[in-house]
Amino acid sequence: MFRLTLLRRAIALCLFFHAIEIRGIQLSSTTQEEPTSFAQASAYGQVKQNYISMKSTIIVAAASGQDSGSWDQTYFAVHETSSGGPNDNYYGLQATTGVYGHKLKPRQLTSTFITVTHSGDGVKSSFNAIQVGWHIHPENYGDSRPHFYTYWTRDGYDATGCFNMNCPGFIRASGSLVAPGDVIKSNSGVHEPVQNVTLKVLKDKTSGDWWVYYGFNGNPTGVGYFPRSLFTYLAQKANGMAFGAFVIADKTLPTPPMGSGAHPNGGQGRAASFTNLRFIDQDGRSNPMTTDWPKLVTSNKCHSITPIDRAGCLYGGPGGCVR
């Protein structure tokens, strides 16, 4: 039950942001401040209970497998496409990002991710998503090391979906040298050489399955796939994508570092980055991102993300926020 309560709170927060949008305040490449608590967000969320926005994917892994009513601090920094329109057709996303080590306590989590989604028919239970990234999640793994992870849902994180291979869904490719949930053994520090992972999610044109690719300091190779039959709307295409990071903590603890732990104004070499950001089309061809995407940031005081420039951006922050 812990997991479901946190998910519902996260979804309520997302609904709040959508309620803001439909009232005429557009989310552009500027910062939007989060309500002061999930309780307030829940109240605003009642405005649009029958719609789940793409923003839910920002906090989905905040789903973190835990469901504690006291995990009240969630901060995120993300770029996302618009989603839900009839002409929003997406078939894959690729990004390269550094992996960093931090000493986290139970009930703290830090995650960097890419995601593909479909908002369905507007009802929460029709929302589909696949998320891939790296995170440090002591509550889930019993350690404070970075892990490669996957997450999925086809009903708005209500009853379906899980991390990695903790439930039926993800199928590991024969011969794959890595599996979802594996430790990323080499990680970076602010003053150390950056170790990079390249993440890719794409819809196979022939099978319709969603393949996950992973590469450590090199080109990504196939790890496995989410069968087309696992989903409803994502069986055809995605109508939204996003990438970024989030941190979450028990209300009694400070928020952990995001990315390298340095603010983007620390510059390349200190702040964490996304590079080689690429769209993947229906035929599997990839093209670099040449335009900026809308930005959603909880609080620039704690964590932030820069505009997309030359298929890349900087993100992160030291954490230490306490509400």
Side-chain angles (χ1 to χ4, degrees):
M1 291 300 296
F2 272 169
R3 179 180 174 188
L4 288 177
T5 298
L6 183 60
L7 283 169
R8 286 166 182 157
R9 288 187 174 196
I11 289 169
L13 177 60
C14 304
L15 293 173
F16 164 73
F17 282 113
H18 181 69
I20 290 177
E21 287 184 304
I22 63 175
R23 290 169 61 186
I25 303 176
Q26 298 300 313
L27 291 174
S28 59
S29 297
T30 55
T31 300
Q32 303 295 322
E33 293 294 328
E34 181 192 21
T36 55
S37 72
F38 277 113
Q40 289 179 344
S42 297
Y44 285 105
Q46 300 300 319
V47 174
K48 201 70 176 174
Q49 284 291 352
N50 68 337
Y51 182 92
I52 180 164
S53 164
M54 168 92 176
K55 280 70 173 179
S56 64
T57 62
I58 299 164
I59 313 174
V60 60
S64 66
Q66 310 308 313
D67 182 15
S68 169
S70 62
W71 284 55
D72 283 344
Q73 297 190 94
T74 303
Y75 292 82
F76 47 86
V78 68
H79 281 289
E80 63 173 359
T81 64
S82 61
S83 63
N87 296 319
D88 292 326
N89 303 313
Y90 303 112
Y91 299 93
L93 180 63
Q94 176 177 320
T96 298
T97 186
V99 179
Y100 299 87
H102 303 290
K103 295 297 183 181
L104 269 59
K105 299 177 180 179
R107 296 183 177 273
Q108 288 181 316
L109 183 155
T110 184
S111 175
T112 295
F113 67 90
I114 64 173
T115 186
V116 295
T117 66
H118 199 294
S119 54
D121 61 9
V123 177
K124 181 184 85 70
S125 60
S126 68
F127 184 78
N128 290 205
I130 294 170
Q131 188 176 97
V132 176
W134 68 267
H135 61 187
I136 301 173
H137 186 0
E139 201 82 12
N140 193 58
Y141 300 101
D143 62 47
S144 188
R145 294 183 289 177
H147 291 254
F148 165 58
Y149 81 93
T150 61
Y151 201 104
W152 69 277
T153 186
R154 66 166 175 264
D155 65 353
Y157 310 106
D158 187 9
T160 65
C162 63
F163 280 117
N164 307 326
M165 301 174 71
N166 294 344
C167 66
F170 185 84
I171 297 176
R172 186 180 178 187
S174 175
S176 174
L177 299 179
V178 66
D182 280 359
V183 171
I184 303 175
K185 295 182 180 179
S186 297
N187 49 270
S188 315
V190 171
H191 302 292
E192 299 172 3
V194 177
Q195 309 298 317
N196 291 306
V197 294
T198 297
L199 307 167
K200 180 165 66 172
V201 180
L202 68 87
K203 195 175 200 316
D204 182 78
K205 184 178 180 179
T206 302
S207 67
D209 301 329
W210 286 93
W211 272 82
V212 173
Y213 288 72
Y214 171 92
F216 181 73
N217 288 333
N219 293 325
T221 57
V223 176
Y225 62 94
F226 291 97
R228 174 181 180 175
S229 60
L230 196 63
F231 300 101
T232 50
Y233 292 88
L234 272 181
Q236 303 301 321
K237 64 173 185 177
N239 70 0
M241 298 193 297
F243 67 90
F246 72 86
V247 296
I248 186 170
D250 186 285
K251 65 183 179 182
T252 64
L253 297 171
T255 56
M258 177 187 289
S260 69
H263 277 295
N265 60 14
Q268 188 77 36
R270 286 184 54 83
S273 67
F274 283 96
T275 60
N276 195 30
L277 290 163
R278 304 183 72 88
F279 289 107
I280 301 171
D281 68 19
Q282 192 171 7
D283 295 317
R285 296 184 296 258
S286 68
N287 295 287
M289 292 184 191
T290 58
T291 60
D292 196 15
W293 289 7
K295 177 173 72 172
L296 192 63
V297 176
T298 315
S299 172
N300 273 320
K301 296 177 182 178
C302 299
H303 316 93
S304 57
I305 191 167
T306 63
I308 299 170
D309 180 36
R310 289 173 288 185
C313 67
L314 304 177
Y315 76 96
C321 296
V322 178
R323 289 184 187 163

